[in-house]
């Protein structure tokens, strides 16, 4: 049952001159999870990183990321369901390695940078011209050159707009505040009116202060020379020109987009190079030697040893079994049929090294729960076929493939439950072929109460199984007292309740309950030690512990959700069938088309929404009700030091494909 | 108020059915709108997260379905599809009361599931590898909508014999 991969600590000591080759080799092997080695002795330090090299690499990464982001804006992923499925870029390992050399990249970067800068300038210019046209709109009818609106000799001008509704009041205030002020209305646009206010130089400040308090916005186009209408025409001409330039630049960017795949690969290759530098910070070194430490799965021991030996026979390579206090990274190793269920373990968090992998324990229950939530053979078959097609025909990541396998298992469970409840696309018996008109084992609509009782019974089994797993863990680790006090006493009490309920005799509950209280409060232990006061306190503690049993009852009830979700799936499906039947009678074939649409869209919606519910609630029952009894996640996942390949598929052979499905 | 005393059993039953459908529908609408507002913000920054956020946005939709199912069960149990059902006012009020758990709990839980899912959207925005974990928290809120559905279904089963 132990499905946690056995790990070994690896310690490597070698000549300092071989650090770079060793790092490259470890990155190629991709199985050593490198840990930080701490040795505090005089003369021992970290292998120094060449800071100028790191800086130069960071600059190259920044440039590569810029190109990736820029070309990504013009890249259209060639994958179906691209909103849900990330595109994969296929490169050979040789191509990937070649990307580190930056061949041809500086020219590409310069061109991308130039196009991006010109496009940004175009955006700014467009915004400026559009604002100018909007601002000039009220002045369109003014048959005077804008240059004449600037001050001339003794007379000063103020050109701008005021709120239309306040026009009369502002005029009145201007007249009161300054003598010899003239206001010329130039035009209107929206809720504002364009004014040219004229006053002698020595009066203009008074006019300005009145206008400032009344929402006057001074014109910003006074640097222009021509008539407003001519300037608007010029601005429109400018907009046309930059639009043409933008089309040209976009066209050029689209041509460069063919480099997108390599740009993605280049970023990953350069990040891998930086990893190869920064990983050294986990090593220690003297003037002559260096040492590193990490973790490898036990089965990889010979391969790693052999490869390191090939690099330099003088390497000192030591493998050790982990000690109790070590923080060992965890890898799961399950048979192929269980691997899809690792999705759930990873979702919650992997176990500590040496603890139990919950994957085999939850698999059967998740399978059953998912089946109960969907509960329809037709839906199960659709789910299996759809997930199989996605997994086999689309270029999806290994993690997505594993999830698809989980959904295929869920589909199979739904078929089994659907057959038992005679549920095929929620169709009534009379609409089914003769072969399928058998008497169902259980009718979810007719036997709701029975179903609810069955779901609670499943909950009892699941929760108590979790408690028993914890008893096993505690006993295995030698912690008998906790196993008895926490879990065995609770199991006794639950058994007492069950026996009392079945026999209708409270005597059982009283006697077994008393034993359970004594165990919970460690009363016997205190009496043997002649600690009578502590024994008395233990009785109280045990009684308080009794209250904790209510938590189990709410856990059991939580499983009734399986019936509710199954019922929801069935009833919505029935509604779709009824609606389709209602419209199918319409003449000229319209009815049949409408019915087919309702069936396809309606059942698809029902399947999708119920898959979401089935997955989430089946997972929740594992995480809350089941894991809560025995499981503690709390470790780091095994993440071997390797080359980065996010969004990439690296092929050892010289085969190159980009996105889409593999041929 | 006289019309209340004069309501027939079928009218009480229908009032229960529409209460469940309306409560669940409103809860889901508000919940989905709340999550979608947050999700669209994230997607506008990073469209690759759309697929991961869609399940979160869809999650508060189930309360509306529960309300709809309850209404449907009322129609089935009182025999509305088989013609004109005969229901006394007392029987109708019992059906109406059976619908109240879903009507109220789905209204509230739909809204709060949306609120919880907004936090999950933030979680996916920052760490999209945690999209799976982000689904679990809003699911905890839905528990009570599920319980209300079970209670309503049980009550309907009992009161309609």
């Amino acid at each position: 049952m132990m499905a946690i991969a056995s790990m070994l600590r690896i310690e490597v000591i070698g000549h300092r001159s071989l650090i770079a080759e060793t790092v490259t080799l470890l990155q190629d092997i991709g199985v050593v999870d490198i840990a930080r080695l701490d040795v505090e002795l005089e003369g021992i330090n970290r292998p120094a990183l060449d800071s100028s090299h790191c800086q130069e690499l960071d600059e190259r990464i920044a440039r590569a990321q810029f190109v990736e982001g820029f070309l990504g804006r013009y890249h259209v992923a060639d994958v179906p369901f691209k909103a849900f499925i990330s595109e994969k870029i296929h490169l050979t390992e040789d191509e990937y390695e070649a990307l580190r050399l930056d061949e041809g990249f500086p020219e590409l970067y310069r061109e991308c940078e130039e196009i991006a800068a010109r496009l940004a300038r175009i955006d700014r210019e467009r915004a400026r011209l559009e604002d100018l046209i909007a601002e000039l709109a009220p002045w369109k009818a003014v048959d005077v050159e804008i240059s004449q609106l600037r001050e001339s000799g003794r007379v000063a001008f103020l050109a701008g707009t005021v709120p239309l509704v306040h026009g009369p009041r502002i005029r009145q205030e201007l007249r009161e505040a300054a003598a010899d002020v003239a206001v010329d209305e130039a035009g209107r646009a929206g809720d504002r009116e364009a004014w040219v206010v004229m006053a002698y130089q020595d009066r203009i400040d008074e006019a300005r202060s009145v206008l400032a308090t009344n929402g006057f916005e001074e014109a910003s186009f006074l640097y222009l020379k021509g008539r407003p209408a001519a300037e608007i025409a010029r601005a429109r001409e400018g907009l046309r020109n930059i639009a043409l330039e933008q089309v040209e630049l976009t066209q050029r960017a689209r041509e460069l987009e063919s480099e997108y795949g390599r740009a993605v690969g280049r970023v990953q290759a350069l990040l891998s190079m930086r990893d190869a530098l920064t990983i050294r910070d986990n090593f220690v070194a003297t003037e002559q030697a260096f040492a590193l430490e990490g973790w490898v799965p036990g089965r990889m021991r010979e391969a790693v040893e052999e490869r390191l030996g090939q690099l330099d026979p003088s390497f000192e390579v030591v493998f050790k079994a982990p000690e109790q206090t070590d923080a060992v990274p965890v890898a799961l190793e399950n048979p192929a049929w269980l691997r899809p269920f690792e999705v759930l373990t990873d979702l919650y968090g992997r176990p500590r090294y040496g603890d139990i992998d919950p994957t085999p324990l939850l698999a059967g229950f998740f399978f059953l729960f998912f089946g109960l939530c969907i509960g329809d053979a037709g839906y199960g078959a659709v789910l299996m076929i759809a997930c199989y097609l996605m997994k086999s025909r689309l270029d999806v990541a290994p993690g997505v493939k594993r999830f698809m396998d989980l959904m295929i298992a869920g589909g199979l469970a739904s078929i089994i439950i659907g057959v038992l409840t005679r549920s095929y696309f929620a169709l009534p018996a009379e609409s089914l072929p003769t072969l399928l008109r058998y008497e169902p084992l259980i009718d979810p609509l007719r036997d709701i109460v029975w179903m609810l009782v069955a779901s609670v019974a499943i909950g009892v089994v699941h929760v108590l199984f979790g408690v028993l797993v914890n008893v096993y863990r505690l006993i295995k680790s030698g912690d008998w007292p906790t196993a008895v006090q926490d879990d065995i006493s609770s199991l006794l009490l639950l058994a007492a309740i069950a026996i009392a309920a079945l026999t209708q005799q409270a005597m059982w509950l009283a006697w077994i309950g008393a034993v359970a209280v004594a165990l919970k409060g460690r009363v016997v232990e205190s009496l043997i030690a002649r600690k009578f006061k502590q024994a008395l306190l233990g009785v109280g503690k045990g009684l308080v512990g009794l209250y904790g049993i209510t938590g189990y009852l709410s856990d059991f009830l939580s499983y009734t959700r399986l019936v509710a979700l199954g019922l929801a799936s069935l009833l919505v499906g029935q509604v779709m069938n009824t609606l389709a039947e209602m419209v199918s009678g319409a003449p000229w074939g319209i009815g049949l088309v409408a019915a087919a649409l309702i069936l396809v869209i309606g059942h698809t919606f029902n399947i999708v929404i119920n898959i979401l519910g089935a997955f989430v609630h089946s997972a929740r029952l594992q995480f809350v009700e089941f894991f809560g009894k025995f499981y503690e996640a709390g470790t780091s996942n095994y993440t071997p030091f390797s080359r980065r390949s996010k969004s990439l598929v690296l092929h050892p052979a010289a085969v190159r494909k980009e996105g889409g499905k593999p041929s | 108020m006289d019309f209340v005393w004069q309501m027939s059993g079928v009218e009480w039953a229908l009032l229960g059915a529409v209460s469940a459908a309306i409560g669940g529908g409103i809860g889901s609408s508000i919940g989905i709108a709340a999550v979608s507002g947050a999700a669209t913000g994230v997607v506008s920054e990073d469209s690759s997260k759309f697929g991961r956020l869609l399940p979160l946005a869809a999650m508060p939709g189930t309360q509306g379905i529960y309300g709809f199912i309850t209404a449907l069960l009322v129609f089935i149990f009182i025999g509305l599809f088989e013609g004109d059902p005969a229901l006394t006012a007392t029987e109708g009020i019992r059906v109406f009361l059976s619908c109240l758990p879903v009507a109220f709990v789905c209204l509230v839980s739909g809204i709060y599931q949306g609120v919880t899912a907004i936090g999950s959207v933030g979680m996916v925005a920052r760490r999209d590898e945690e999209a799976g974990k982000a689904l679990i928290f809003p699911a905890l809120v839905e528990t009570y909508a599920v319980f209300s559905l079970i209670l309503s279904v049980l009550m309907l089963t009992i009161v309609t014999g």
Side-chain angles (χ1 to χ4, degrees), chain A residues 57 154 157 202 237 255 465 467 493 553 584:
Chain A
L57 198 50
R154 289 179 58 209
F157 295 92
D202 57 343
E237 179 64 21
E255 286 165 14
F465 180 54
V467 176
L493 199 60
L553 299 178
S584 62

Side-chain angles (χ1 to χ4, degrees), chain A residues 83-84 346-348 445 448-449 452 557-558 560-561 564-565 567-568 571-572 575 609 612 616-617 620 623-624, chain B residues 50-51 54-55 58-59 65-66 68-69 72-73 76 132-133 135-136 139-140 142-143 146-147 149-150 153-154 157:
Chain A
F84 299 93
D346 279 338
L347 199 59
Y348 189 82
L445 265 181
I448 289 175
V449 176
L452 288 169
L557 286 175
S558 186
T560 54
R561 76 186 58 231
L565 292 162
L567 206 62
L571 283 165
V572 174
V575 169
I609 203 80
L612 178 66
V616 163
H617 287 283
R620 173 237 143 90
F623 297 162
V624 180
Chain B
F50 173 77
L54 192 65
M59 231 184 200
I65 295 173
Y66 298 157
F68 172 71
I69 286 167
L72 208 71
L73 282 173
I76 292 169
K133 286 188 177 77
L135 281 174
I136 300 301
L140 300 179
E142 195 171 322
T143 297
V146 171
F147 284 169
L149 175 66
I150 291 165
V153 169
L154 268 177
T157 311

